[in-house]
Amino acid sequence: MSASARITAPTPSDIRARKGGDPLVSLTAYTTPMAQMMDDHVDIVLVGDSVGMVLHGLPDTLGVTMDMMCLHGAAVKRGLARAMMVVDMPFGSYEESPEQAFRNAARLMRETGAAAVKLEGGVAMADTIRFLTARSIPVMAHIGLTPQAINTLGGYKVQGRGEDRDRVLDDAKAVEKAGAFAVVLEKVPASLADDITDQVAIPTIGIGASAGCDGQILVVDDMLGLFTAFKPKFAKRYATLGADGGAAIAAYATEVRARSFPAPEHVFADEVPTT
């Protein structure tokens, strides 16, 4: 393949330029095989801190560490050729100061090959976003329901209803002004998501928001039916792989106990068969 024909993933600038264009498609991934599966179909692969709940059995995202994000980010990167990879900054890795955020964001990008990082927060994180982007760290923002703040938000509640609407809108404008190239809107009323999409010049990526956003993201294990501990309203299931996998494991166990597996075609003879 010639250099001019090589596949290149979009950059954060390319994603920003998609504002108002064809919808951006995004999913989470945590492993190489899953990244390979989605690479031809999505624009952005997010290595989300949801990995703590989906793969590690944690009750929320607060226990996720930098080491975990680096490990899974590097694994996902090995499975990608076309899609842009963004890695979540875990709880406690950026809130203390812009300098702390830079050290950890630089580590994530260096150890995983990520094109950008994602962090949660609006007005309160604007200075940090500005600090990072001024130092060559592209930032995807995340406002509305911010899972790392569930203890202060009172759980996984819709954000931006009633008098809270202006707060979320202010968050969106703040992260845009600070230099974020895109913003995730999680669990906000559809009308608010539409207003934000109209009023900011960067792409909005919805999860439990509105079809009018510039793009959408889901946790891949939710949409494939692999994670079944709970099902958010916005997590449409496009497959039931968890149930299918459970049935397959049950069938395997039955055959082993009945000694019908392995069958003759699954074992080896004393002599090499002749052809």
Side-chain angles (χ1 to χ4, degrees):
M1 180 182 292
S2 68
S4 61
R6 287 176 187 160
I7 298 167
T8 57
T11 66
S13 295
D14 294 330
I15 297 299
R16 182 176 180 130
R18 293 274 297 273
K19 174 69 179 180
D22 291 337
L24 293 159
V25 180
S26 184
L27 285 170
T28 65
Y30 320 109
T31 65
T32 303
M34 193 66 79
Q36 292 170 327
M37 192 181 303
M38 65 181 68
D39 189 36
D40 283 340
H41 307 286
V42 306
D43 302 296
I44 303 167
V45 172
L46 172 68
V47 186
D49 59 359
S50 49
V51 67
M53 303 170 74
V54 171
L55 293 190
H56 293 272
L58 298 177
D60 50 47
T61 63
L62 301 182
V64 175
T65 66
M66 281 289 295
D67 286 345
M68 290 165 66
M69 297 311 301
C70 288
L71 175 69
H72 290 284
V76 168
K77 183 63 175 177
R78 288 191 286 271
L80 298 178
R82 297 176 180 272
M84 185 183 81
M85 187 177 81
V86 180
V87 179
D88 263 345
M89 298 195 69
F91 177 68
S93 70
Y94 59 94
E95 297 91 340
E96 181 180 333
S97 67
E99 290 80 9
Q100 179 209 29
F102 177 79
R103 287 193 298 273
N104 285 317
R107 178 187 170 191
L108 280 176
M109 293 184 70
R110 182 172 58 250
E111 294 188 19
T112 69
V117 299
K118 181 171 77 65
L119 57 80
E120 297 181 6
V123 172
M125 285 294 114
D127 287 344
T128 295
I129 294 171
R130 189 174 295 108
F131 189 90
L132 294 179
T133 57
R135 289 159 177 80
S136 303
I137 305 282
V139 177
M140 176 182 286
H142 183 156
I143 64 172
L145 173 65
T146 47
Q148 294 175 10
I150 55 168
N151 289 327
T152 55
L153 294 176
Y156 296 95
K157 298 178 179 179
V158 174
Q159 302 295 306
R161 284 176 169 158
E163 295 180 356
D164 194 40
R165 186 182 184 91
D166 288 344
R167 175 186 66 85
V168 179
L169 184 56
D170 288 345
D171 280 342
K173 292 178 178 178
V175 299
E176 175 201 13
K177 186 176 180 180
F181 69 90
V183 57
V184 172
L185 309 180
E186 181 167 358
K187 212 166 183 180
V188 300
S191 63
L192 174 57
D194 289 339
D195 284 348
I196 292 172
T197 301
D198 288 342
Q199 294 184 40
V200 299
I202 58 176
T204 57
I205 300 175
I207 177 167
S210 168
C213 290
D214 296 297
Q216 302 293 328
I217 186 168
L218 285 176
V219 172
V220 70
D221 293 71
D222 283 340
M223 58 90 70
L224 292 179
L226 287 167
F227 182 74
T228 58
F230 59 86
K231 180 182 178 296
K233 177 180 179 179
F234 54 76
K236 179 178 178 179
R237 287 210 172 126
Y238 288 80
T240 55
L241 300 189
D244 293 345
I249 291 168
Y252 164 73
T254 297
E255 291 187 8
V256 169
R257 293 185 177 114
R259 295 190 184 279
S260 61
F261 176 83
E265 63 266 29
H266 303 123
V267 297
F268 301 93
D270 290 334
E271 302 294 334
V272 177
T274 58
T275 57

